[in-house]
Amino acid sequence: MKIETDLSKFNNSWYNPGNKAKILLWFLVNTLILNNYLPIPVFIKVTVLRLFGAKVGDNVMIKPKVNIKYPWFLEIGNYVWIGEQVWIDNFVKVVIEDHACISQGAMLLTGNHNYKKSTFDLMPGEIHLEKGTWIGAKSVVCGGVKCHSHAVLAVNSVTSKDLLPYKIYQGNPAKEIRDRVISE
């Protein structure tokens, strides 16, 4: 007899991302300031993120329509670019180091579910993008992944495994295709 998924038994009561009033307020502020196409100045976006507990460095670029789940679980370094329609679905900590770039429509997904359990348990995993990492447009980085220094995840690729430094990855699942050579 095969056991089936039973979502009626799903229970993530152990997971507490923070105060419910703060979460509701963030949902509203995120919609008004970050997750829309209004021409909101970047300094206002950064200020709001900091007010909600994000650690944000200097000279950060945040394009329109960016969605961030919980800013209090977010660390952004200096000179980071976050492209249009990026979704940072951070149930747990996401670290984006200096000079990293997350291109249009990319997703950082820290939450997943255990498909081997009938209860479909939530499995959060941190994401860490080291210095100079580039996540290509429409790409997905899954929870528990570390993209090492200057790694590249090419357009429309998916990684659920760590990316080595100065390597370029492509596909679903992402495979190493060549070295990243940077010239002046």
Side-chain angles (χ1 to χ4, degrees), residues 14-56:
W14 57 269
Y15 177 72
N16 181 8
N19 176 288
K20 298 228 185 290
K22 181 179 180 181
I23 292 169
L24 177 59
L25 182 59
W26 171 248
F27 177 79
L28 296 171
V29 170
N30 186 40
T31 302
L32 292 171
I33 305 297
L34 274 90
N35 194 8
N36 65 61
Y37 283 110
L38 296 174
I40 308 288
V42 174
F43 82 90
I44 292 175
K45 295 176 185 182
V46 167
T47 300
V48 166
L49 284 169
R50 287 177 179 150
L51 285 172
F52 277 88
K55 295 175 184 163
V56 184

Side-chain angles (χ1 to χ4, degrees), residues 116-137:
K116 295 178 182 179
K117 301 281 277 182
S118 67
T119 53
F120 211 52
D121 297 345
L122 178 64
M123 301 181 342
E126 295 182 1
I127 292 174
H128 192 127
L129 307 181
E130 288 187 349
K131 184 177 183 180
T133 300
W134 180 12
I135 306 303

Side-chain angles (χ1 to χ4, degrees), residues 101-174:
C101 177
I102 306 169
S103 294
Q104 305 90 325
M107 296 190 293
L108 307 182
L109 305 176
T110 63
N112 203 344
H113 294 277
N114 188 345
Y115 64 87
K116 295 178 182 179
K117 301 281 277 182
S118 67
T119 53
F120 211 52
D121 297 345
L122 178 64
M123 301 181 342
E126 295 182 1
I127 292 174
H128 192 127
L129 307 181
E130 288 187 349
K131 184 177 183 180
T133 300
W134 180 12
I135 306 303
K138 303 283 187 182
S139 291
V140 177
V141 178
C142 296
V145 168
K146 185 175 217 174
C147 299
H148 291 274
S149 179
H150 294 84
V152 174
L153 184 61
V155 169
N156 211 29
S157 297
V158 177
T159 188
S160 59
K161 302 201 183 304
D162 291 358
L163 305 183
L164 296 174
Y166 288 92
K167 300 290 182 184
I168 299 173
Y169 293 81
Q170 184 177 39
N172 181 6

